Amino acid sequence: MRLKTTLLKEPKHILFMVSCVGWTTADELYSCSEDHQILKWNLLTSETSLVVKLQEDIYPIDLHWFPKTVSGKKQTQAEIFVLTSTDGKFHLASKIGRIEKSVEAHKGAVLAGRWNYDGTALITAGEDGQIKIWSKSGMLRSTLASQGSPVYSVAWGPDSDRILYTSGRQLIIKPLQPSAKVIQWKAHDGVVLKVDWNSVHDLILSGGEDCKYKVWDSFGRLLHSSSSHDYPITSLSWAPDGEVFAVGSFNTLRLCDKTGWSYALEKPNTGSVFSLAWSADGTQLAGACGNGHVIFAHVVEQHWEWKNFVITLTKRRTMQVRNVLNDAVDVLEFRDRVIKASLAYGHLVVATSLQCYVYKNWNTPLIFDLKEGTVSLILQAEKHFLLVDGAGLYIFSYEGRLISSPKFPGMRADILNAQCVSLSNDTIAIRDKSDEKVILLFDALTGKALGDGKPLTHKLEVVEIALDQCGPSTERKIALIDKNRDLYLTSVRHLGREPKICKIGSMVHSMAWNDAANILCGIQDNQFTVWYYPSVVFTDKELLPKTLYIKDGSEFSRAPHILNYVGTKVTLRQGDGSLVYSSVLPYPALLHEYSTSARWEDALRLCRFAKDQSLWACLAGMAMANRELTTAEMAYAAIGETNTPTTEFIDTSYINFIKEQPSKESSLAHMLMFSGQVQEAEATLLQAALIYQAIQINIDLFNWERALELAVKHKTHVDTVLAYREKFLQKFGRKETNKRFLQYSEGVEVDWEKIQAKIEMELSKEREKAASLSVRSSVTSRR
Ligand SMILES: *[C@@H]1O[C@H](CO)[C@@H](O)[C@H](O)[C@H]1NC(C)=O
């Protein structure tokens, strides 16, 4: 990826430095200079025209257009911008350059002016060390801060409820709410000159006189520090989607990835670049240059890879497709600028400023028009894809049909990124921005909230989510990473019951599901880890650690990030920006396929052939989940051979115990107990009218109250419960204190012989019933 820059031969603001720039559309830019001129640059016609010549005493410093879209709604207000100047004023100016209002704001220069995201407030920062908040019409609301040194730069937080500003070498984050906590830290070894704060991922940029730029999270933790440049960093700006940012210095323009490493360095003849601005669609960058120039740049040579195809954006409207198998090259041309693209599941989806192109082969794309020109995210599933723009989320089929458009209260589509949205054939999951513990779940086909509409709530803030892609929709799972970097797995369709959210990893920094089997890979504590069968945690969580493949991560450089996991190939981006690949054996995927199609013989053969303990552990879990006891027994025995005998001995003998249950229902109930699903086990028995058995499993688990409750309710085996309870208390040398047990033991005599006989009778009744059922079913099947 690099920047393609354009600079006119002669500057338009002759002999004067350009102080600020701002885009109205992706093709039109305003620039202001010390020559008092405001110029308008039309990129389509390449014309530059004078908007207005300001009064001689106005020396502009900063310019910011009023936000165009607010929470998906187009602003009705006429287009205005704020212009700050050296004389302590800010000016509200119209598009034709008329100054509508000038306000005395600070002593000395007004160094920065920024609208908040919904346009309800303006913030100004002054040479006088003050920060003031103004209403939309320019009425003073409050003075937010006052310090002894100039405030060079300010930025709003993602929710417009906090601001970030410079204070000498320090950075300060101050909430608007007076009582809330202020965060302050030393950021640079010189005065900080510029800051920016991205609303999509909440990351902060700073640059200063120490000639460095840095990336921070919003708690002030350093994520990246650049090496020292030759000159101070005079400007920096996040691209709206937060994927990249630009940095300006003397004769220098840099393009960086969000993690801070540099994609490209340009050395244009610009003097110092004092201000940088991205167009709203993120395709264009403009810089205000110290030598009177305005520099334009756009990003080219972005790559997308999938299986044997590598696609490169070669020009703004052109892509090159290379098939690495035969080196065949196709060229794709677009009418308008390419804004976003995605390549997966055999389809290339490209959003330009006006249209969406869907390619299955390279010569006949399907094309449809887009309402809004600023697609900020494309996600693909095998069946359909998701487009996100400033106004909302839309699911389209690969035939170009709009399928659904989920909505929810407080939706802000402009800040959604790939970490907090996930798509599968049947489900869309969105991490809620207003409460980051919450994951909203929608049916992809209808756009309606799933099930009872209750979202999934985790105990901690969630930072990344991913839906698995295979198997029936009823078994759809979501993996989530929370603020502590713990990895959890849970079901998205859980039929009204509280979903079990099970931990499957810790210190996980990046993850991706495989496209063809529900296998998950991730970077766990700097080790590359593959969860061959993550769902095993719901069947037998003891098996989980045995189903992992862990590879030492030392071959990767710092902080690798997983881009995708297609087939057997995992693509990672390393801390220095380079791509590396890791491969996973094909056996686990094959085992998933055999299990899905109940080909247990094949599964056993595969495990015997591969001689891999982790595969046997997967098979044990898969067979248990599918109630395939014979296979489960063999698989458990196989892992038992090399592992500690005691636990494994229990595993296989427990399976024998399950197999020897008098009826199918009892077997099922014990399997459910085995995976910790006690309520389900009890419900299974009660449904089959196996009351004694339901009581007994509660006794086995020391659920005394529940056992007694069932016995009393069904008027049977009250004495059994009392007898076991008595034995239990005796064993621990304790006296009965439970009121209900005291109450019932008064009228009931405990006779162990009688109880034993009754239990025998229950079991033989169960056996007889099961036998007669199986005879009946074999008769029907013969008929
Ligand atoms: C997803 O949809 C595609 C296309 O309709 C289909 O071929 C595939 O089997 C589906 N996958 C699942 C897991 O349902």
Side-chain angles (χ1 to χ4, degrees), residues 382-383 425 469-471 476:
E382 194 173 358
K383 196 175 193 156
N425 268 6
Q469 298 292 318
C470 302
R476 186 67 48 239

Side-chain angles (χ1 to χ4, degrees), residues 586-626:
Y587 303 140
L590 206 54
L591 200 59
H592 274 273
E593 195 184 311
Y594 289 153
S595 151
T596 311
S597 48
R599 289 161 63 185
W600 302 109
E601 280 302 318
D602 291 330
L604 283 166
R605 207 169 302 127
L606 174 66
C607 289
R608 280 187 201 115
F609 166 75
K611 296 194 180 58
D612 176 345
Q613 290 295 306
S614 58
L615 284 184
W616 280 114
C618 290
L619 182 58
M622 288 170 180
M624 276 313 255
N626 287 284

Side-chain angles (χ1 to χ4, degrees), residues 117 158-159 199-201 376 388 412-417 420 433:
Y117 284 96
D159 300 319
S199 58
V200 174
H201 47 45
S376 55
V388 180
R412 257 186 69 194
D414 57 323
I415 58 172
L416 296 175
N417 63 26
C420 63
K433 178 71 195 161

